[in-house]
Amino acid sequence: MADPLKEERTAAAWDGPVPMIDLKAQYATLASELDAAIARVVQSQMFILGPEVDAFEREIERYLGVKHAIGCASGSDAILLALMALGYGPGDEVIMTPYTFFATAGSTYRLGIRPVFCDIDPVTYNLDPTKIEEKLTRRTRAIMPVHLFGQCADLDAIGRIARGRELAVVEDAAQIIGATYNGRHAGTLGDAGCFSFFPTKNLGAWGDAGMVTTNDDELAARVRALRVHGGLKTYHHELVGMNSRLDGFQGAVLRAKLPHLSGWNAQRGANAARYRELFAQAGVLQSEGDQPERGKVIVPAVVRESHIFHQYVMRVHATQRDGLLRHLQSRQIGCAIYYPVPLHLQPCFAELGYRAGDLPEAERASRETLALPIYPELPAAAQERVVEVVAEFLRG
Ligand SMILES: Cc1ncc(COP(=O)(O)O)c(C=O)c1O
């Protein structure tokens, strides 16, 4: 007798390429709202900051439940502005993960602050709080957790360490917009949160864009001044700041997209659940441990109350990772390695004196992880195709 499920799968079979992300698919669902948003800016001729940016800042404050949201030119600048507003500079140290996008450390280092790298938890890929204490020195000023791939770092443990020593917590919230921790939004729980709206983020602009959030009035006032060269009153400067203003087009686009963010995040979560099911059905899911066996995948673990799956990053045996990447590429399946070289081993940070082997979990993650497409509009049939191609390789 015919198997109706099998027939349905065959009927829906996907044989085309699967991109890592499909921003055109998102645009197609919102074209009229987005086009109208752009038209408003054109009509107003207010291109830098202005009413759309003001409105977006107030809407984000309400969405995140935070007192101040200050738009700026990028997530990298948000980190710069937060650290400048906190008053850190040469001679100061900030503890952070080496398993992150370059900007976490790059923006810190540019201010003359020393990034002090601390190893990660192999399950969440976030800063391992049990390893922070040994990194503290009398020059430590802050801890900067990155909520990597859309899952929060252990903010309770990090907060306890920080409070005991009067250290600031600066959240690199570039990948976390919309996730909650103990019922509050990530990026609002530390002294400052630094968001990115790079186009491929869960809430993506149509260009570079970023934001600093804080509940601290004085810190907010300094960030507001620093983004316009340190002077709130034109041509009067109490601080030396920079030009890092959010532009009107980005404010308008982000306003149009914000009401859809929760739905998109939920769809990413549903896609992640589907991957788990499909890998199990294909017989390649490893259900225990963080040491991948050959021929298996370890899918992302959701250990916090929410995960917004900015990226879907799985682990495979190090001897199979690069072969799997090439196999997927040859079948035109989107995939990427986040991140192939941990920051403590980047040539530009050689003077910090780290060696291979110093931060073994971050280094192992760099050898074993691979990201698959997870964007909200990803069709179920395309996911089946991705899993089929992964399984085909792993089964040899
Ligand atoms: C963890 C992390 N920090 C900082 C940034 C920097 O953001 P932007 O690209 O907007 O400068 C990113 C962006 O990719 C990121 O993923």
Side-chain angles (χ1 to χ4, degrees):
M1 211 172 83
D3 172 354
L5 255 185
K6 196 169 163 210
E7 267 175 9
E8 193 183 301
R9 271 201 300 275
T10 318
W14 187 278
D15 54 8
V18 182
M20 191 60 183
I21 186 162
D22 186 356
L23 291 176
K24 285 183 185 163
Q26 188 189 70
Y27 176 59
T29 65
L30 282 186
S32 57
E33 283 148 89
L34 287 161
D35 292 353
I38 291 294
R40 281 200 310 274
V41 179
V42 173
Q43 293 297 329
S44 75
Q45 293 288 298
M46 302 285 278
F47 300 116
I48 304 288
L49 296 173
E52 294 291 334
V53 172
D54 284 346
F56 177 58
E57 289 178 341
R58 304 298 81 74
E59 284 159 13
I60 280 274
E61 285 162 2
R62 276 197 297 281
Y63 176 79
L64 294 178
V66 71
K67 220 165 157 191
H68 304 282
I70 303 136
C72 62
S74 67
S76 306
D77 276 8
I79 298 171
L80 271 180
L81 287 164
L83 294 175
M84 286 165 80
L86 284 159
Y88 306 146
D92 295 333
E93 295 177 356
V94 173
I95 294 176
M96 65 180 63
T97 166
Y99 187 58
T100 174
F101 179 64
F102 181 75
T104 313
S107 293
T108 305
Y109 192 78
R110 269 187 60 191
L111 296 172
I113 303 166
R114 189 182 178 86
V116 174
F117 295 112
C118 176
D119 213 356
I120 58 165
D121 173 321
V123 174
T124 63
Y125 304 109
N126 281 322
L127 207 47
D128 180 347
T130 66
K131 300 197 174 124
I132 292 177
E133 307 244 0
E134 67 205 49
K135 303 287 177 188
L136 297 168
T137 73
R138 62 189 171 75
R139 290 183 288 277
T140 311
R141 296 289 168 264
I143 304 171
M144 186 160 9
V146 179
H147 305 301
L148 202 68
F149 305 143
Q151 179 155 235
C152 288
D154 187 348
L155 288 175
D156 286 333
I158 291 167
R160 271 194 299 276
I161 298 166
R163 267 193 305 283
R165 291 167 183 82
E166 297 190 7
L167 304 175
V169 174
V170 179
E171 297 176 73
D172 179 335
Q175 302 187 6
I176 200 75
I177 192 147
T180 57
Y181 185 95
N182 295 343
R184 290 165 62 200
H185 272 275
T188 68
L189 295 140
D191 294 83
C194 306
F195 289 88
S196 164
F197 304 117
F198 185 79
T200 57
K201 293 289 191 267
N202 291 29
L203 180 62
W206 282 2
D208 274 311
M211 178 163 272
V212 178
T213 51
T214 182
N215 287 305
D216 178 328
D217 297 344
E218 279 176 32
L219 195 65
R222 280 199 293 279
V223 173
R224 266 186 232 290
L226 286 166
R227 75 174 168 177
V228 287
H229 290 296
L232 284 176
K233 204 167 125 198
T234 311
Y235 305 130
H236 292 77
H237 300 265
E238 285 84 45
L239 302 163
V240 178
M242 55 202 268
N243 169 3
S244 184
R245 301 168 296 213
L246 186 58
D247 77 63
F249 285 122
Q250 306 316 332
V253 164
L254 290 164
R255 285 186 73 198
K257 288 190 178 192
L258 181 59
H260 303 276
L261 176 61
S262 299
W264 288 333
N265 283 347
Q267 190 53 52
R268 284 170 181 270
N271 292 350
R274 188 180 295 120
Y275 267 136
R276 171 183 282 276
E277 216 177 286
L278 291 169
F279 280 126
Q281 279 168 15
V284 296
L285 180 72
Q286 181 178 327
S287 50
E288 293 203 338
D290 60 64
Q291 302 282 340
E293 294 162 22
R294 277 181 65 85
K296 299 283 184 193
V297 299
I298 298 179
V299 298
V302 182
V303 306
R304 306 266 169 246
E305 72 194 36
S306 65
H307 192 321
I308 53 140
F309 286 97
H310 171 55
Q311 300 293 357
Y312 183 87
V313 175
M314 60 179 196
R315 253 188 216 274
V316 294
H317 197 273
T319 57
Q320 294 191 299
R321 200 271 309 266
D322 292 349
L324 176 57
L325 175 87
R326 285 192 294 274
H327 182 73
L328 287 161
Q329 286 169 338
S330 74
R331 303 289 193 277
Q332 294 181 285
I333 306 290
C335 55
I337 296 174
Y338 302 110
Y339 297 91
V341 181
L343 299 187
H344 65 291
L345 301 179
Q346 294 287 349
C348 65
F349 293 138
E351 64 100 3
L352 296 175
Y354 291 90
R355 301 247 175 286
D358 283 349
L359 301 168
E361 288 300 346
E363 292 167 34
R364 187 165 73 90
S366 295
R367 290 190 298 270
E368 294 180 348
T369 55
L370 187 65
L372 298 179
I374 189 74
Y375 60 93
E377 302 80 9
L378 180 65
Q383 272 193 284
E384 288 176 17
R385 169 77 181 144
V386 173
V387 171
E388 180 186 293
V389 175
V390 170
E392 173 183 287
F393 176 85
L394 291 177
R395 290 200 211 99

